[in-house]
Amino acid sequence: MSTYSAPLKDMQFAIKELVGLDEVAALPGCGEVSAGLVDAVLAEAAKFAQEVLDPLNRSGDRQGARLADGKVIVPDGFDKAYRQFIEAGWNGLSGQPEFGGQGLPHIVAMPVQEMWNSANMAFCLCPMLTSGVLEALHVHGTPQQQKTYLPRLTAGEWAGTMNLTEPQAGSDLSAVRTRAVPEGDHYRIHGTKIFITWGEHDMAENIIHLVLARTPGAPEGVKGISLFIVPKFLVNADGSLGERNDVRCVSLEHKLGIHASPTCVLAYGDGKGAVGFLVGEENRGLEYMFTMMNHARLGVGMEGVALAERAYQHALEYAKTRVQGREIGQRSGDRVTIIHHPDVRRMLMSMKAQTEAMRALAYFAAAVLDRAKRHPDEQERRRHQALIDLLTPIVKGWCTEQSVEVATTGIQVHGGMGFVEETGAAQFLRDARITTIYEGTTGIQANDLIGRKVAFEQGATAKAVIAAMRAVDGELAKHAELAAIRASLTAGMRAVEEATDWLVATYPADAKAAAACAVPYLKLFGIVAGGWQMARAALIAQSRLEAKEGDADFYRAKLVTARFYADHILPQAAALGHTVVNGADSVLALDPAGF
Amino acid sequence: MKVLVTVKRVIDPYVKVRVKSDGSGVETANVKMTMNPFCEIAVEQAVRMKEAGVASEIVAVSIGVQQCQETLRTAMAMGADRGILVETAGEVQPLAVAKVLKAIVDKEQPKLVIMGKQAIDDDSNQSGQMLAALLGWPQAAFISSITVNGETADVTREIDGGLEKLTVRLPAVVTADLRLNEPRYVTLPNIMKAKKKPLEVMKPDALGVDIAPRLTILKVQEPPKRGAGVKVADVKELVAKLRNEAKVI
Ligand SMILES: Cc1cc2nc3c(=O)[nH]c(=O)nc-3n(C[C@H](O)[C@H](O)[C@H](O)COP(=O)(O)OP(=O)(O)OC[C@H]3O[C@@H](n4cnc5c(N)ncnc54)[C@H](O)[C@@H]3O)c2cc1C
C-alpha cells in the first residue's frame, strides 16, 4: 500500500520554471509571493497532506458518510482533520485579506489544492465548496452580507455549499423549480435540491447554502433564476448563531466513489419555508453562479490531475515490488519485479507523461487566471480573461477524462490485485469517475468550448493559442535532440488548426454537426495544449542540462517524459482531428428511433 | 527568560540516502532537506514555554549553508522570534558547532538552550554535551519533560534503565528526546509572518571561531546488503548455527 508523497520537484519546476512565478509575483497584490514563500507553503502543505489527510483516505472510503436521525456522521478522523485544517489556516489561502484570508494567487493555491486532492479528495470537497461560496459573495454580496459571512467562511468555521441541481434540472439549470417568496427583508424558500456535496455535517459550526430558486412571476428559463443565501443556522445581529433554518438533509446517495463526502438530498421549506437572503438582483442568479464557475471548473480539473498523480504513485510502488516472470527473452535466472517488463513500463510512462502534461497545463491556466484578475493593464486583463475562458473547459474536461484513463491504467498495472479492493488502486478510479460529471459533464464543457469560446468569436482566442504554440517551434528547431518532439507537436498543431477552422465554418450553419464531435475537439485541444507545455518543459530541461545547472536527473527524466508524450500521446491528435472534421454524419445518421 | 534553540538542516527522513560514488560522503545535492526532527521538538518546546509565559523571547540558531535560512524560517513559522544563521560552506563537526554556539550564547545570554538530542544525518549526539562543557553550564540530555521554576528546571531524562528525574540550575543546556512533545503543524498565517521576522547572517570568523574539522572521514559506504535467510530443520540446528556461525551465544 503506497502512501502519498507530494511531487514537490515537478510542482516547483512547473511553477517556477515553466509557468514563471516571477511574472505572477510582480502583479499587484502579490508582493508577498516569492520563491522562498512558495517553497515554505508547499513544504508545509505537503506535510499536512501526507500526515493528516492521506491516512484518512482509505478509511474514509471504506466507512463512508452516514445519515442518522437527519444528522450526517462523517467517517472517523474527519472531524479532527477538519479542525486541524482550519486551525492551520489553510482554508484562508486564497481568501481576501480584508476578511482574514492570505490573498495568495492561484499559482500558489493550485498546487496546494492538488496536494489536498491527491491525499483525500472526498475531504477536500468541503473546503473547495466553501471557497466557491466565498468567491460568489465576495463578488456579488452586499457589504453587510460580506461582513456577516466572509470572515467565518474564510476561517473555515463555517462551510459553504452550492445548490443548483434538482431532479429535473441537472445540466439544464433553466428547469430549476425551487421557489423563493419575498417576506419582509428576506425570502421563504421551498423546494428540493439533490446531489448537494457536503450539504449537511457537523464539522463546521454553520453551513451557508447558496441556492438557485425562482421568485413569483420570474421569467421562464435561465433569465428567471435568482441566487439566495440560506444559512443552516440563522445569524443574529451580533454574529452569534440563532434559529435552525428550515432546511433538512433527507437522504444520502450511495455512490461509486468519494464515499466520505456526503452527497445530500436537501429539503427546503418543509415547514414555514427556509429563510433566504437574495444575492445581488433578482433573476441574475445564474449569471452570478457562472462568475465563479470558471474557478470551480479549474478546481475540478485539478482534482483530475491530483487523482492521476496518486494513481501513478500507487501503481509505481506496486510495479517495483510485485515479482512475476523473467525479463523478456530470458529462459532462466531470477524472476523480476514487473517494472522490468516493457509493457508495464509503457503503462507507467503513459501515466507519468499525461499527469505531468496535465499539471503543466493546469498551472499554466492558474497563472493566466491570476493575470486576468490582477494585471494592471485593462487590455492585458481582457486578453488573459479570453484565454482563461477558453482554457477552463479544456482543463476541466481533458484533465478529468484523462484522470479516469490514468486510474484505469493504474488498475491494469496491478493485474488482478487492481480489481480487488484490498490494494486501494480501485478507489482512485472510483473517485476519479465523478470528476467528469459534476461542475458540468464533459459534454457540457465541450459545448461551452465550441460555442461560446470558439465559434462565437470566430476562433480568435483559439488561434492566438495556436500562434503561441507555433512560437515554440522556432526554439525547438534549434535543438536536433528535440526533433521528434517538434515533428509531433507540428502535426498536433495542424490538427487543432484544421479542426478549429472547420468548427468556425460549420457552427453557424449547422450547430448540431459541430456539437456531434465537440468532445473529440475538446480532447484534441487538451492533448495538443499538453504537448505544447511538455515541449516547453523539454526546452527548459535541455538548456539546463547544457548549462549544467540544477538537478540533472530530474531534467533528463523530463526530456524522456516529453519524448514519450510526443511519441505516444500527441499522435492521437491527428486521429481526433479526423473525427472532428469527418465524424458528425455517422453520429447523427441514426435518429433516436433508429437505435 | 530568553531561550535559544538550535536547528539543523538535514536530509528529509523519508528520502532514501545515497552514498556518493567517490565514497566521500552522502549525496545531498538536489535532495529534499528538512529540519532535523529532534530540533523540531526543541523549537516546539520553546514555543510552548513562550505560550505558557515562561519564555519571553526565542532565538533560533542554525549553522551551515545559506539554505539553512529556510530551516530558520520554519522555526520562526513555528514561533521563534528571530533567527541567526552562522553561514559556512562545508561540513561543521560537533566540536566546531559547540564552539560557534558558545560564541552566540556569550552574545545572546539566554537562560536556557534547547537542542535536539542528535541530528538524524550523522547521529553524533555530541554538540549539546560539548556546548554545556564549554560554557561550564549544567546539562540534561535526552529530556522527555521540563518545568522551569525560577532559577532551576525540573527535567525527566530518558536513560537506558528508565527515567531519571533531575533538577538543574539555570542557565543550562538541555537536549530534546522524542517524547518531549509532538511538534505542531505550522500554520499558513505564521508562514507568512515568518518572512518578516529578523534573520541575521554572520560568518564564523566574525565570532572568532575556528571551525576547521578535527576529524577525517576516511570512507563512507553502504551497509552490506542483507543476504537471504535459510530454513533450519529443528531447534538443535538453530542453536548450533547461533553458536558456531553467528557466534552470538
Ligand atoms: C457526487 C455528486 C456530487 C454533486 N455535487 C453537486 C453539488 O454540490 N451541487 C449541485 O448543485 N450539484 C451537484 N451535483 C450534480 C451535478 O452537477 C450533475 O449531476 C451534473 O451537472 C449532471 O446533471 P445530471 O446528473 O442531471 O445529468 P444530465 O443533465 O441528465 O445528463 C445526462 C447525460 O446527458 C448529457 N447532456 C445533458 N445535456 C446535454 C447537452 N445540452 N448537450 C450535450 N450533452 C448533454 C450529459 O453530458 C450526460 O452525459 C453532484 C453530482 C454528483 C453525482
Side-chain angles (χ1 to χ4, degrees):
Chain A
M1 184 65 55
S2 74
T3 53
Y4 173 59
S5 164
L8 289 173
K9 264 194 186 152
D10 198 53
M11 291 176 156
Q12 276 158 336
F13 170 77
I15 298 169
K16 293 179 192 167
E17 300 186 62
L18 193 64
V19 170
L21 179 68
D22 296 346
E23 250 185 82
V24 175
L27 294 172
C30 292
E32 309 244 12
V33 179
S34 64
L37 180 80
V38 169
D39 290 343
V41 170
L42 294 194
E44 290 305 326
K47 201 165 154 188
F48 193 89
Q50 290 162 189
E51 294 175 11
V52 180
L53 300 182
D54 185 46
L56 297 175
N57 194 34
R58 199 166 147 68
S59 57
D61 177 61
R62 293 215 151 171
Q63 208 176 8
R66 288 175 298 128
L67 187 69
D69 303 327
K71 278 187 179 287
V72 168
I73 300 161
V74 298
D76 295 342
F78 272 52
D79 241 319
K80 180 172 175 214
Y82 186 78
R83 227 169 314 120
Q84 287 177 291
F85 185 83
I86 64 173
E87 279 168 8
W90 291 114
N91 204 67
L93 184 80
S94 38
Q96 300 299 319
E98 53 195 303
F99 300 111
Q102 299 300 332
L104 288 170
H106 295 290
I107 188 59
V108 184
M110 270 288 188
V112 173
Q113 259 182 50
E114 182 189 325
M115 292 190 242
W116 303 154
N117 277 306
S118 280
N120 196 329
M121 178 172 130
F123 175 92
C124 177
L125 284 167
C126 180
M128 177 171 168
L129 281 151
T130 306
S131 78
V133 174
L134 274 168
E135 196 176 339
L137 294 185
H138 179 249
V139 181
H140 304 293
T142 63
Q144 183 55 41
Q145 287 170 344
Q146 295 185 346
K147 200 172 138 254
T148 307
Y149 301 106
L150 293 191
R152 309 280 191 91
L153 284 167
T154 305
E157 289 161 22
W158 298 352
T161 71
M162 292 290 170
N163 294 244
L164 291 71
T165 309
E166 297 176 14
Q168 77 295 345
S171 298
D172 177 14
L173 290 169
S174 67
V176 160
R177 278 192 211 139
T178 296
R179 287 178 300 124
V181 184
E183 182 188 276
D185 67 346
H186 58 263
Y187 291 72
R188 290 279 178 185
I189 315 281
H190 298 269
T192 301
K193 292 288 179 181
I194 62 167
F195 289 154
I196 306 309
T197 299
W198 285 100
E200 168 59 23
H201 59 93
D202 285 334
M203 297 200 304
E205 294 160 25
N206 199 3
I207 301 177
I208 309 305
H209 305 289
L210 281 190
V211 182
L212 288 181
R214 284 180 188 284
T215 52
E220 281 292 301
V222 291
K223 294 248 151 56
I225 297 174
S226 307
L227 182 63
F228 297 90
I229 299 168
V230 184
K232 173 177 164 184
F233 289 101
L234 295 173
V235 182
N236 298 323
D238 64 357
S240 61
L241 295 187
E243 205 183 315
R244 179 74 162 81
N245 210 346
D246 188 5
V247 44
R248 297 270 179 294
C249 174
V250 292
S251 67
L252 294 186
E253 304 298 345
H254 298 279
K255 310 188 293 290
L256 179 64
I258 51 167
H259 290 159
S261 161
T263 305
C264 306
V265 175
L266 291 185
Y268 287 85
D270 275 353
K272 293 181 303 207
V275 174
F277 305 96
L278 182 68
V279 178
E281 295 169 25
E282 278 189 11
N283 299 332
R284 294 184 61 186
L286 217 49
E287 179 193 327
Y288 299 154
M289 267 300 181
F290 270 96
T291 56
M292 39 143 266
M293 203 82 108
N294 265 348
H295 181 189
R297 286 179 168 175
L298 276 185
V300 175
M302 203 64 241
E303 291 174 4
V305 180
L307 287 170
E309 172 66 37
R310 191 67 186 85
Y312 167 64
Q313 290 188 11
H314 203 71
L316 179 59
E317 187 180 289
Y318 190 77
K320 283 182 170 176
T321 46
R322 165 76 174 164
V323 174
Q324 195 68 194
R326 299 192 171 88
E327 290 257 24
I328 192 159
Q330 305 277 320
R331 294 266 180 86
S332 58
D334 285 348
R335 292 195 161 72
V336 295
T337 50
I338 57 173
I339 197 169
H340 287 84
H341 301 311
D343 187 57
V344 173
R345 290 258 268 285
R346 179 193 59 78
M347 289 193 276
L348 291 170
M349 280 306 295
S350 92
M351 298 175 85
K352 175 175 162 67
Q354 294 192 77
T355 304
E356 289 181 20
M358 294 193 287
R359 175 177 298 120
L361 188 66
Y363 289 14
F364 175 79
V368 172
L369 185 57
D370 284 324
R371 292 190 189 98
K373 284 194 175 163
R374 298 180 190 245
H375 204 286
D377 183 62
E378 158 81 35
Q379 199 133 5
E380 280 296 291
R381 275 206 303 279
R382 221 172 316 132
R383 192 168 71 79
H384 284 104
Q385 187 61 48
L387 187 51
I388 194 61
D389 287 346
L390 178 85
L391 287 174
T392 298
I394 296 171
V395 170
K396 183 344 180 149
W398 178 61
C399 293
T400 59
E401 291 284 340
Q402 293 326 106
S403 83
V404 173
E405 190 186 309
V406 169
T408 297
T409 308
I411 289 181
Q412 193 68 14
V413 169
H414 284 74
M417 290 308 283
F419 194 70
V420 299
E421 288 284 354
E422 274 96 298
T423 53
Q427 188 190 347
F428 307 126
L429 176 66
R430 291 188 286 98
D431 286 354
R433 206 62 200 76
I434 185 58
T435 61
T436 66
I437 297 171
Y438 59 18
E439 285 295 344
T441 61
T442 310
I444 295 300
Q445 304 302 321
N447 283 352
D448 177 50
L449 176 65
I450 64 161
R452 267 190 295 276
K453 310 294 166 66
V454 174
F456 286 0
E457 48 158 49
Q458 279 77 50
T461 308
K463 284 180 182 159
V465 173
I466 296 168
M469 293 180 186
R470 198 148 278 142
V472 178
D473 188 65
E475 286 300 304
L476 289 170
K478 293 180 193 156
H479 301 274
E481 305 88 336
L482 305 180
I485 294 176
R486 180 179 177 220
S488 195
L489 183 62
T490 305
M493 285 186 306
R494 205 174 306 128
V496 191
E497 199 164 35
E498 279 170 21
T500 305
D501 287 340
W502 181 87
L503 262 182
V504 170
T506 307
Y507 195 95
D510 190 354
K512 214 166 162 179
C517 293
V519 168
Y521 178 75
L522 180 148
K523 285 194 181 174
L524 163 63
F525 217 126
I527 283 174
V528 178
W532 168 40
Q533 296 303 326
M534 287 307 271
R536 293 185 57 230
L539 278 168
I540 295 167
Q542 182 71 28
S543 73
R544 297 278 195 270
L545 283 170
E546 281 167 17
K548 295 198 173 12
E549 288 168 357
D551 185 347
D553 288 345
F554 175 83
Y555 292 124
R556 268 194 295 273
K558 186 56 96 178
L559 275 182
V560 172
T561 310
R563 174 67 192 266
F564 180 94
Y565 192 94
D567 291 343
H568 291 249
I569 314 291
L570 251 181
Q572 296 167 20
L576 287 163
H578 175 93
T579 300
V580 173
V581 174
N582 301 288
D585 286 353
S586 54
V587 168
L588 299 170
L590 279 187
D591 59 17
F595 277 84
Chain B
M1 175 174 93
K2 188 196 271 190
V3 177
L4 194 132
V5 289
T6 56
V7 293
K8 184 174 185 185
R9 186 169 182 269
V10 297
I11 295 183
D12 188 283
Y14 297 104
V15 167
K16 193 174 179 309
V17 174
R18 280 188 308 188
V19 173
K20 278 187 191 163
S21 49
D22 65 1
S24 64
V26 298
E27 194 58 76
T28 54
N30 304 309
V31 172
K32 186 168 176 238
M33 306 294 278
T34 187
M35 186 191 293
N36 175 37
F38 290 108
C39 297
E40 241 184 305
I41 296 171
V43 177
E44 175 67 30
Q45 194 58 36
V47 176
R48 289 187 188 188
M49 286 177 163
K50 191 170 173 196
E51 285 167 349
V54 176
S56 53
E57 189 190 14
I58 303 168
V59 183
V61 184
S62 190
I63 305 166
V65 293
Q66 188 214 341
Q67 288 88 335
C68 294
Q69 291 194 21
E70 290 165 21
T71 318
L72 285 167
R73 291 281 172 214
T74 306
M76 291 190 276
M78 288 176 75
D81 296 291
R82 58 192 171 90
I84 300 173
L85 170 61
V86 181
E87 195 177 324
T88 65
E91 181 208 5
V92 193
Q93 291 177 348
L95 181 59
V97 168
K99 286 180 177 173
V100 169
L101 289 176
K102 171 165 188 307
I104 303 269
V105 168
D106 288 343
K107 246 174 77 169
E108 293 286 341
Q109 299 287 318
K111 203 163 168 184
L112 181 66
V113 177
I114 313 179
M115 299 172 68
K117 72 166 179 179
Q118 67 200 62
I120 59 156
D121 47 6
D122 49 23
D123 279 332
S124 292
N125 184 359
Q126 296 172 6
S127 301
Q129 294 86 332
M130 286 177 172
L131 173 62
L134 290 175
L135 287 166
W137 285 7
Q139 61 169 295
F142 326 132
I143 62 164
S144 59
S145 80
I146 179 166
T147 319
V148 172
N149 304 307
E151 296 308 306
T152 60
D154 295 334
V155 300
T156 307
R157 297 182 61 225
E158 304 221 334
I159 56 174
D160 283 348
L163 300 176
E164 180 181 51
K165 291 188 186 294
L166 289 178
T167 301
V168 290
R169 251 181 302 105
L170 298 179
V173 177
V174 299
T175 73
D177 212 323
L178 197 62
R179 271 163 289 271
L180 180 57
N181 59 51
E182 200 179 313
R184 69 194 58 200
Y185 286 102
V186 169
T187 72
L188 180 64
N190 286 344
I191 296 174
M192 309 285 285
K193 278 183 212 144
K195 295 275 139 200
K196 301 195 182 90
K197 291 184 178 177
L199 198 169
E200 194 183 345
V201 182
M202 58 182 77
K203 291 272 156 66
D205 302 350
L207 295 166
V209 181
D210 171 17
I211 60 159
R214 301 289 201 271
L215 309 169
T216 315
I217 290 172
L218 300 179
K219 193 171 166 216
V220 175
Q221 61 187 35
E222 297 261 2
K225 286 229 164 30
R226 247 172 79 174
V230 285
K231 250 192 184 146
V232 291
D234 50 27
V235 175
K236 222 166 100 191
E237 191 188 340
L238 174 67
V239 171
K241 276 189 184 297
L242 287 174
R243 178 165 296 143
N244 306 327
E245 288 177 28
K247 296 194 168 59
V248 290
I249 52 173

